[in-house]
Amino acid sequence: MRRFYSESVTEINGLVTLTGDEARHISTVLRMRPGDDVLLIDGKGAEYISEIVSSSDGEAVLKIKESRISAAEPEVKVTLFQCLPKQGKMELIVQKCVELGVYAIVPVVSKRCVVKIDGKENKLVRWNKVAQEASKQCGRAFVPSVLPPVKLREIDLTPFDAALLAYENEDMRTLKEELRRLGSVSSTALIIGPEGGFESEEAEELINKGAASVSLGKRILRTETAGMSALAQIMYEFDQ
Ligand code: SAM
């Protein structure tokens, strides 16, 4: 069943009106007809089995037949603190980490970040659009947010049950060992450095805030690989 996203699913007498790109997609691109079934997702975790009642170029009216909580959401909420990578990589990181079940993404400005993000609000809009498209494509009903960037020293780890610092100079403890030690967590921060890695005092600062420094293995991964790799390992470990 084709999936359509609506930021706010406002039901009036069991009917929901879709407008904008999604409505145009239904009527003009896919030429769907009244009576066809679609899956409406609200981006917050709920999905609605609906039937098209009417559709024109700018509007589609749907009748909700059944609503449910999506089964595609992982129980562990992983917030990825991604130090800003060079041009163009962030879209790949957002897309792949949404597919892998990330809960939220926070771009981070650290000492060795080459890219500066000041005044580039349109980047954030673009990254959130990528998250929405990736979420729809992979069957999630929840759209992870890409939040406004923070400086590394502003990272607040207190809201999390656990915090994992993927540190390239860590050679004592692996991610696997730390996940086994944690057992099960409901929310964790995952911190990934930029291409140039972390300054030692940055790593120290995060460890002093409670992050566990972990190795992702014997090879140095690119920044765009590291988050995906760690996320996949976390989801594997917690059967998500
Ligand atoms: N410039 C660093 C160096 O040569 O050691 C490499 C940085 S790596 C390209 C980018 C980020 O990916 C790192 O800061 C870290 O967060 C993560 N990363 C990559 N490989 C890792 C590994 N084997 N263990 C832990 N973290 C790793």
Side-chain angles (χ1 to χ4, degrees):
M1 204 181 315
R2 289 204 175 255
R3 309 168 69 83
F4 295 92
Y5 170 75
S6 171
E7 208 147 80
S8 64
V9 176
T10 315
E11 203 181 316
I12 301 168
N13 305 326
L15 298 178
V16 172
T17 303
L18 269 189
T19 55
D21 292 350
E22 295 291 75
R24 248 187 301 286
H25 202 60
I26 286 178
S27 56
T28 316
V29 176
L30 301 172
R31 297 191 181 287
M32 296 184 83
R33 295 279 165 265
D36 290 348
D37 278 350
V38 296
L39 197 62
L40 190 56
I41 56 176
D42 68 355
K44 300 172 191 69
E47 49 192 26
Y48 304 82
I49 297 175
S50 313
E51 180 185 316
I52 298 174
V53 173
S54 66
S55 72
S56 62
D57 185 26
E59 181 179 285
V61 178
L62 310 178
K63 184 174 76 182
I64 290 183
K65 294 173 27 177
E66 183 197 336
S67 60
R68 61 192 184 198
I69 295 299
S70 164
E73 285 314 300
E75 281 151 34
V76 58
K77 291 183 167 53
V78 181
T79 296
L80 171 65
F81 288 87
Q82 173 66 49
C83 289
L84 280 171
K86 289 179 184 151
Q87 284 306 346
K89 292 181 186 176
M90 196 63 172
E91 289 195 19
L92 175 78
I93 293 168
V94 170
Q95 184 186 64
K96 297 310 168 202
C97 289
V98 167
E99 290 173 48
L100 284 163
V102 79
Y103 178 70
I105 297 174
V106 182
V108 176
V109 180
S110 68
K111 288 210 176 88
R112 295 183 186 171
C113 285
V114 175
V115 171
K116 298 302 170 218
I117 189 134
D118 306 337
K120 292 190 184 160
E121 285 66 30
N122 59 335
K123 283 273 179 223
L124 212 50
V125 171
R126 173 71 195 134
W127 293 339
N128 277 287
K129 185 79 179 141
V130 170
Q132 182 189 324
E133 286 157 3
S135 186
K136 235 175 94 177
Q137 176 277 327
C138 72
R140 293 179 71 173
F142 174 79
V143 180
S145 295
V146 183
L147 299 167
V150 297
K151 290 187 175 65
L152 186 131
R153 78 175 90 85
E154 294 166 344
I155 291 178
D156 176 10
L157 297 178
T158 50
F160 301 98
D161 295 343
L164 302 162
L165 166 66
Y167 188 31
E168 59 275 16
N169 298 330
E170 174 60 46
D171 54 12
M172 298 296 284
R173 174 174 44 193
T174 64
L175 173 59
K176 177 179 172 183
E177 286 159 348
E178 182 59 11
L179 292 175
R180 291 281 149 92
R181 186 190 71 78
L182 286 169
S184 74
V185 288
S186 61
S187 68
T188 183
L190 170 63
I191 310 161
I192 301 291
E195 288 87 351
F198 290 108
E199 302 272 352
S200 54
E201 62 269 18
E202 288 179 320
E204 232 167 276
E205 194 178 314
L206 291 166
I207 291 166
N208 292 341
K209 283 186 178 177
S213 160
V214 294
S215 165
L216 298 183
K218 301 182 180 69
R219 292 168 297 285
I220 291 296
L221 307 177
R222 289 177 185 271
T223 184
E224 62 271 29
T225 314
M228 295 180 215
S229 164
L231 202 51
Q233 292 180 59
I234 294 168
M235 294 304 165
Y236 172 82
E237 182 64 21
F238 295 141
D239 286 325
Q240 300 289 316

